[in-house]
Amino acid sequence: MDERLERENLIPGDSIMPRLKQIPRSEVPADIAKLYDLLFPGRDPVAEPGTETGTPGNWWTVFAVVPDVFRHAVAGFQLYRSPKRKIDPKLRELGQTRAGYLRGSQFVFSQHCKAMRSVGFDENSVEAIPGWQTADCFSPLERAVLAYTDALVLGGGRVSDAIFEALRASLSDEEILELTYITCTYDLHATMSRALRLEYDDVDERVVEIPAPDSGASVDVMRSVDEGEGAD
């Protein structure tokens, strides 16, 4: 049986909850209740989970644990979607989707694959995100954005001059700042989603010990190498 099912006294088929409590509609402030009603019309998202994109929707119900954090996060969504933004939505989505993939968040990656299509990317481009380095479907600027995202997420901000100059050749300072801020924000969201096991990131750790057969639980697995010494 799945270790989380066993730990939480659930049976296969039961819903596995995120690591933090969820806040029902009856307990959230009025402004958050309005968003609940937009996302989960006519129902309490804790009692009856599910969104139109197929996610459970527990990102919203867990973030509501601290209303100020909920509002701050939603304000961030509104910021990047604002018509005031100068960065091309296609470039923005490249950063968001690649950040989700690199951080290993199935939730962020999956949601922004859909968003990539909504801003005009074709299926080849969406499917090429994991291995963009060998794909021929991205423009030089798009490749620069993907390389920049890799440096932000995997390199912790260690961006080479060559990558930055490739961005600067096509983007204004305002566009680069927006791209950086939004990409790093989604690195944060991907990390939090995994840590709290939200939405599609509600999965068990896959890197665990595989039990050895019979009495092999306490064995020096490389002893055969030592036994081979001096054979010649």
Side-chain angles (χ1 to χ4, degrees):
M1 180 182 290
D2 182 288
E3 67 179 56
R4 291 189 68 201
L5 290 175
E6 185 173 7
R7 182 174 66 247
E8 298 172 23
N9 296 315
L10 301 172
I11 61 173
D14 280 352
S15 175
I16 300 178
M17 297 294 102
R19 281 173 159 164
L20 299 183
K21 65 183 178 181
Q22 300 182 70
I23 308 301
R25 189 191 183 287
S26 61
E27 297 179 19
V28 297
D31 59 321
I32 295 178
K34 288 181 180 179
L35 267 175
Y36 272 27
D37 290 343
L38 288 172
L39 293 162
F40 313 96
R43 56 194 164 91
D44 176 2
V46 177
E48 299 180 68
T51 69
E52 65 179 1
T53 61
T55 66
N58 57 43
W59 184 96
W60 305 92
T61 54
V62 167
F63 266 65
V65 166
V66 181
D68 283 350
V69 172
F70 183 105
R71 296 180 185 109
H72 185 270
V74 170
F77 301 151
Q78 294 167 338
L79 181 147
Y80 88 72
R81 296 174 61 83
S82 168
K84 295 179 180 179
R85 297 286 70 79
K86 297 182 181 298
I87 190 67
D88 184 333
K90 294 185 72 172
L91 300 180
R92 178 200 77 209
E93 286 298 336
L94 281 178
Q96 291 168 295
T97 310
R98 180 67 178 171
Y101 179 81
L102 293 175
R103 195 50 68 200
S105 169
Q106 189 168 22
F107 174 52
V108 171
F109 177 69
S110 178
Q111 294 298 87
H112 285 274
C113 283
K114 299 173 180 64
M116 280 183 66
R117 296 185 190 97
S118 77
V119 296
F121 281 106
D122 61 21
E123 205 63 29
N124 287 337
S125 297
V126 175
E127 293 177 357
I129 288 293
W132 70 265
Q133 299 91 336
T134 58
D136 59 6
C137 54
F138 297 115
S139 70
L141 175 56
E142 289 169 343
R143 294 179 66 82
V145 167
L146 289 163
Y148 186 55
T149 300
D150 287 4
L152 290 175
V153 178
L154 292 182
R158 190 179 182 186
V159 181
S160 71
D161 288 343
I163 291 174
F164 203 84
E165 289 307 314
L167 287 181
R168 195 187 290 278
S170 299
L171 300 179
S172 67
D173 285 7
E174 290 84 358
E175 290 170 312
I176 293 173
L177 181 58
E178 290 178 0
L179 174 65
T180 306
Y181 184 82
I182 294 165
T183 301
C184 289
T185 297
Y186 270 78
D187 184 10
L188 176 150
H189 280 303
T191 299
M192 289 188 68
S193 182
R194 292 191 65 191
L196 303 180
R197 290 189 171 180
L198 304 177
E199 307 289 0
Y200 297 142
D201 291 318
D202 187 11
V203 294
D204 282 323
E205 174 60 60
R206 66 173 300 274
V207 183
V208 297
E209 179 186 8
I210 304 301
D214 303 325
S215 60
S218 180
V219 172
D220 179 358
V221 296
M222 296 301 291
R223 70 185 186 282
S224 58
V225 176
D226 300 334
E227 292 170 357
E229 288 185 358
D232 293 336

